[in-house]
């Protein structure tokens, strides 16, 4: 018995079954996943799922006409999600309501990399985006050093050292006490599209 608490209404089931019946091939199901779960940028997605597209850690949810494959990373964020289909004058619309998609699922016991990624996505990148920039975690090394890669307008920017030390590192160290520091692996000699 699966512990998944996602609801797929009869109307959504029938609509998806009809779409799947039009696909070439057999054993095609649906995969539900969330991009950037637990962040303000979280998006809930539904896609066709052919046998070779299933992930080994996906959780199958067998329905009357097909199987839904739930992405393992997304599963806790899909708690209480509802997939529905409503007919309208234009035909209809499939909707996914996932009230927990943007709820952070980290705490002080979460792995260091998950905590760094969470704060990069929720606090650091929204500020850098106004300059066309972004930062991502490459690795955690040497007992707690976060290795970061700057991209977009940050790559090649002459102010990146100040952004790294005064902004990103300070913010991360305030929020994650067991983080020891940050290091930049970005090649800043490429100044194309850099923000100044």
């Amino acid at each position: 018995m699966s512990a998944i608490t996602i609801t797929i209404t009869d109307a959504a089931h029938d609509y998806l079954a009809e779409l799947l019946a039009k696909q070439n091939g057999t054993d095609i199901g649906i995969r539900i996943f969330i991009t950037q779960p637990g962040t303000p940028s979280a998006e809930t997605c539904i896609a066709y799922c052919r046998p070779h597209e299933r992930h080994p850690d996906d959780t199958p949810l067998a329905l009357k006409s097909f199987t839904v494959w739930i992405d393992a990373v997304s599963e806790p964020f899909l708690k209480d999600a509802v997939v529905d289909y409503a007919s309208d004058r234009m035909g209809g619309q499939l909707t996914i309501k996932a009230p927990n998609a943007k709820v952070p699922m980290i705490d002080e016991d979460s792995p260091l990399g998950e905590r760094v990624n969470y704060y990069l996505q929720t606090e650091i990148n929204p500020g850098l985006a106004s300059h066309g920039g972004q930062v991502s975690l490459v690795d955690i090394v040497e007992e707690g050093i976060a290795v970061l890669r700057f991209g977009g307008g940050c790559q090649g920017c002459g102010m990146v050292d100040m952004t790294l030390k005064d902004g990103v590192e300070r913010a991360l160290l305030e929020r994650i006490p067991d983080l020891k520091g940050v290091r930049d692996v970005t090649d800043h000699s490429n100044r194309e599209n850099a923000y100044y």
Side-chain angles (χ1 to χ4, degrees), residues 34-80:
I34 300 175
T35 60
Q36 300 182 42
T39 73
S41 303
E43 294 284 334
T44 308
C45 307
I46 289 184
Y48 293 121
C49 186
R50 290 171 173 75
H52 69 279
E53 296 169 324
R54 294 174 192 147
H55 298 200
D57 53 354
D58 284 353
T59 301
L61 178 62
L63 300 181
K64 181 173 54 177
S65 303
F66 58 90
T67 300
V68 175
W69 299 90
I70 308 293
D71 172 63
V73 173
S74 304
E75 189 170 336
F77 300 93
L78 288 167
K79 183 179 184 296
D80 301 325

Side-chain angles (χ1 to χ4, degrees), residues 36 39-41 116-126 135-137:
Q36 300 182 42
T39 73
S41 303
V116 169
N117 261 329
Y118 174 75
Y119 288 112
L120 289 177
Q121 297 306 318
T122 59
E123 296 186 21
I124 309 292
N125 278 333
V135 63
S136 59
L137 177 66

Side-chain angles (χ1 to χ4, degrees), residues 108 110-120 124 137-148 164-165 167-183:
E108 55 276 351
S110 297
L112 187 57
E114 286 182 20
R115 289 181 283 153
V116 169
N117 261 329
Y118 174 75
Y119 288 112
L120 289 177
I124 309 292
L137 177 66
V138 175
D139 200 3
I140 302 287
V141 297
E142 299 169 15
E143 302 298 317
I145 303 292
V147 180
L148 306 177
L164 178 68
K165 288 294 180 193
V168 175
E169 185 174 48
R170 189 179 74 234
L172 289 174
L173 291 173
E174 282 175 10
R175 287 158 183 77
I176 309 171
D178 50 332
L179 183 68
K180 303 301 180 225
V182 298
R183 187 181 306 151

Side-chain angles (χ1 to χ4, degrees), residues 9-16 82-97:
T9 66
D10 289 342
H13 172 275
D14 295 347
Y15 173 73
L16 291 168
V82 176
V83 180
D84 195 12
Y85 180 80
S87 298
D88 59 28
R89 292 180 313 191
M90 304 302 284
Q93 182 173 1
L94 187 69
T95 59
I96 312 167
K97 292 183 178 134

